[in-house]
Amino acid sequence: MPVPSEIRKVRDTVWEIPADYKEGMRVPARIYATEKLLHRMDDGVFDQVTNVATLPGIVRYAFCMPDGHWGYGFPIGGVAAMDVDPGVISPGGIGFDINCGMRLVLTNLTYAEVKPHLRRLVDRLFERVPAGVGSSGFVRISRDEFRKVLEDGARWCVRNGYGWDEDLERTEEGGCIAGADASRVSRKAVERGLKQIGTLGSGNHYLEIQVARPDSIFDRDLAASLGIRIPDQVVLMFHCGSRGFGHQVASDYLELFLKVMGTKYGIQVPDRELACAPFRSPEGQDYFAAMKCAINMSFANRQVIVHRIREVFSEVFQKEPADLGLHQVYDVAHNTAKLEQHLVDGKKRTLLVHRKGSTRAFGPGMEGLPEIYRQTGQPVIIGGSMETGSYLLVGVEGGEETFYSTAHGSGRTMSRHAAKKQFRGRDLERQMEARGIYVRSVSYAGLAEEAGPAYKDIDDVIEAAREAGISKPVVRLSPIGNVKG
Amino acid sequence: MPYRYLEDIVISDVVFEAWGETLEETFVSAGDATQNVMVQDLDSIRDRERRPIRIEDASLEMLLFHFLLELIYFKDAEELLLRVPAVEIRDLGSGYSLHAEAYGERLDPKRHTLLVDVKAVTLHRFSLKKTAQGWEASVVLDI
């Protein structure tokens, strides 16, 4: 299906598919993209975003962000805000990898200072942050203790010596979303996640060492407010989620919703993967409480990884982590559903905002932002492919129109299968090293699947978000080291 | 190899088709197809441990769904790479049951060439159907 002929341009980078395009649509669909990105979007995006528009309780529009591509039920890059009553909650609108997200950590080191130690840093990180198939971590806890992690998130980590208090302030939801209930998750989910705290997983998950080059800073003052003040400052960015735990929670509830959706609640959806339940129903509330456990487990996962980064840098540079300036900038989630207050037709309403492969991007002054970022707006961390760059941005006032949501990455354009046929992991490793990027990967096949050309151009995606007025680029970050599963 | 991976049906994940003359053979093929996404050489999985798989479901489709999910579960919960050489499927009238014994061993990066982690079985275009030659399944796996 090419771009539907019914699509109309609202303005540069904003496109609308009207509500009469497909039977059952309750609202129009809006796609945020440049014309170039729009025409390269796969067929599934248009089909799926208009399916999302049929969900009960949806408010304003079904959205797709500039990095959109098709997913399960919702497109990746999909955003949908629902009235809490009679709105629904849909696991497809959150994703299997609940709270897959990004975290950015500073150092006070320059590229020149890091370069002589780069191989050792990457090698040690590769050892201390397990990645790959079924990777299990070094945090060994009982099932009861794991259930505490589910309810306390990153707070558990800091209490147990895996982090600093300030890390919590610099994490969405303070590193622990309220309302998680460990009794709502299955035994299987606990078993799958028990040994995975502090691990990366595989696929498109990674840990990168990056440089903020002076010519890649778009707003010097904002960059300084976010902690980037030194020319060629080295930072670390990593991308991972709730591992097997979150996936099991999502699978468990997708199945439950399929059973009750039609028979108990009389809801029909155009795609099984859009299975949902009324938010206020017992099943909806159970899933919400279970999903929050996965959000917290993921915050804890990333918190332990920050701790490992501090340990490794401290070991290599023989200094305390605080003396190396290893402060966190922020941690963002891009697969969640959250209750938020938004203005709709001039009135404040509580909405359940589903973001799947989409990052929250609160503007300056908004409730829910830590004090340190009230003036700047929320830091937004968007990762590119392993060969290109990544971005640090901030949320802006104009983000109101997408309920303060923006892109999350660059989005794939080539299937894994095709990438593996076209690229060789060992060649990529060599080529990247020749360009100054030292990569350690558990699997060469996995590396080939992550080749740069398999992804959209991150610069295009960021430009679209900037032009649409939903987030503002602050710094472009260049990779120099990479740990992959 | 009674399964193949399809290109360009999915962007970020993996899709396979598995088949067999019988329903049971198709389940076995689908199990291997799932494991083969994670491990390059299935023959490198030795018979060191056994795990029973006992499932009941209202439909054959969901039976296959849960069967594959069991393999993923063991990979995460016990770091076990498992193969299932045979399954027994019974029609209970009100649904179906599956009994099998899986064999395998703990994953060892030194001996198992590990590829990419399978995180979930999706229901996207999930199908299990009878054909003229036997049975065929189509499954999308979340990576």
Side-chain angles (χ1 to χ4, degrees), chain A residues 48 69-72 96-97 133-134 136 187-188 191-192 195-196 202-203 205 243-244 247 251 254-255 258 272-273 412-418 421 443 445 449, chain B residues 5-13 38 61-62 65-66 69-70 72-73 75-79 107 114-117 119-124 126 140-143:
Chain A
Q48 291 186 329
H69 64 86
W70 81 250
Y72 305 120
F96 279 107
D97 196 353
V133 177
S136 64
R187 180 198 63 83
K188 278 207 156 140
E191 293 301 317
R192 278 185 74 180
K195 288 184 243 164
Q196 295 190 336
S202 77
H205 292 165
R243 308 282 285 108
H247 278 76
S251 295
L254 179 65
E255 223 190 300
L258 278 169
R272 264 194 304 198
E273 294 273 352
R412 286 191 77 92
T413 54
M414 194 188 294
S415 73
R416 296 192 165 277
H417 195 96
K421 280 168 75 168
S443 149
E449 289 175 10
Chain B
Y5 301 103
L6 299 179
E7 209 177 297
D8 295 333
I9 308 281
V10 301
I11 291 264
S12 48
D13 296 312
M38 299 190 275
E61 266 194 354
M62 291 313 284
F65 175 81
H66 283 120
L69 211 42
E70 279 292 285
I72 295 164
Y73 167 76
K75 177 259 304 174
D76 281 336
E78 298 190 47
E79 292 171 272
L107 66 85
L114 299 170
L115 304 170
V116 74
D117 201 26
K119 303 195 282 205
V121 184
T122 78
L123 287 172
H124 190 84
F126 190 99
V140 176
L141 299 170
D142 188 63
I143 301 299

Side-chain angles (χ1 to χ4, degrees), chain A residues 105-124:
Chain A
V105 180
L106 303 165
T107 75
N108 58 16
L109 302 163
T110 63
Y111 176 52
E113 289 170 309
V114 166
K115 194 171 173 206
H117 305 280
L118 184 61
R119 289 183 88 93
R120 187 157 163 232
L121 284 166
V122 172
D123 287 344
R124 279 303 280 152

Side-chain angles (χ1 to χ4, degrees), chain A residues 4-5 20 35 37 82 119 122 124 128 134 162 197 214 229 264 266 302 316 332 352 356 368 409 422 436 465:
Chain A
S5 55
D20 58 10
E35 187 146 5
L37 283 171
M82 272 53 178
R119 289 183 88 93
V122 172
R124 279 303 280 152
R128 295 296 289 159
Y162 297 106
I197 298 177
R229 301 177 188 118
K264 202 169 171 187
R302 292 200 286 276
V316 171
V332 293
L352 180 73
K356 184 171 98 172
Q422 205 174 317

Side-chain angles (χ1 to χ4, degrees), chain A residues 310-345:
Chain A
R310 288 176 177 143
E311 281 181 333
V312 167
F313 270 70
S314 180
E315 177 196 306
V316 171
F317 287 97
Q318 294 290 296
K319 278 182 171 176
E320 289 301 308
D323 294 334
L324 292 167
L326 286 160
H327 297 278
Q328 193 163 301
V329 175
Y330 206 57
D331 178 307
V332 293
H334 53 234
N335 276 5
T336 60
K338 293 196 190 186
L339 284 174
E340 295 174 0
Q341 298 261 303
H342 291 282
L343 269 178
V344 182
D345 302 325

Side-chain angles (χ1 to χ4, degrees), chain B:
Chain B
M1 210 174 61
Y3 54 86
R4 65 188 181 122
Y5 301 103
L6 299 179
E7 209 177 297
D8 295 333
I9 308 281
V10 301
I11 291 264
S12 48
D13 296 312
V14 165
V15 60
F16 71 78
E17 271 174 1
W19 54 87
E21 273 178 31
T22 65
L23 181 64
E24 288 80 355
E25 272 176 35
T26 306
F27 271 60
V28 168
S29 305
D32 273 353
T34 302
Q35 203 63 260
N36 209 182
V37 173
M38 299 190 275
V39 186
Q40 182 147 296
D41 177 10
L42 293 180
D43 291 333
S44 66
I45 301 172
R46 298 177 306 186
D47 183 357
R48 284 284 185 274
E49 302 208 32
R50 299 282 177 100
R51 289 288 181 280
I53 298 181
R54 305 254 182 284
I55 307 165
E56 267 184 36
D57 264 297
S59 70
L60 285 171
E61 266 194 354
M62 291 313 284
L63 198 70
L64 177 62
F65 175 81
H66 283 120
F67 170 66
L68 298 177
L69 211 42
E70 279 292 285
L71 300 178
I72 295 164
Y73 167 76
F74 280 116
K75 177 259 304 174
D76 281 336
E78 298 190 47
E79 292 171 272
L80 282 176
L81 298 175
L82 294 175
R83 293 193 75 178
V84 187
V87 304
E88 199 186 283
I89 297 173
R90 286 206 194 120
D91 184 340
L92 306 171
S94 56
Y96 300 89
S97 73
L98 180 148
H99 284 203
E101 191 175 54
Y103 77 80
E105 59 176 325
R106 280 202 72 184
L107 66 85
D108 180 358
K110 292 196 185 74
R111 281 187 314 101
H112 303 123
T113 303
L114 299 170
L115 304 170
V116 74
D117 201 26
V118 175
K119 303 195 282 205
V121 184
T122 78
L123 287 172
H124 190 84
R125 297 202 201 193
F126 190 99
S127 79
L128 174 64
K129 53 182 195 261
K130 208 164 186 331
T131 64
Q133 291 78 35
W135 288 80
E136 196 178 272
S138 173
V139 180
V140 176
L141 299 170
D142 188 63
I143 301 299

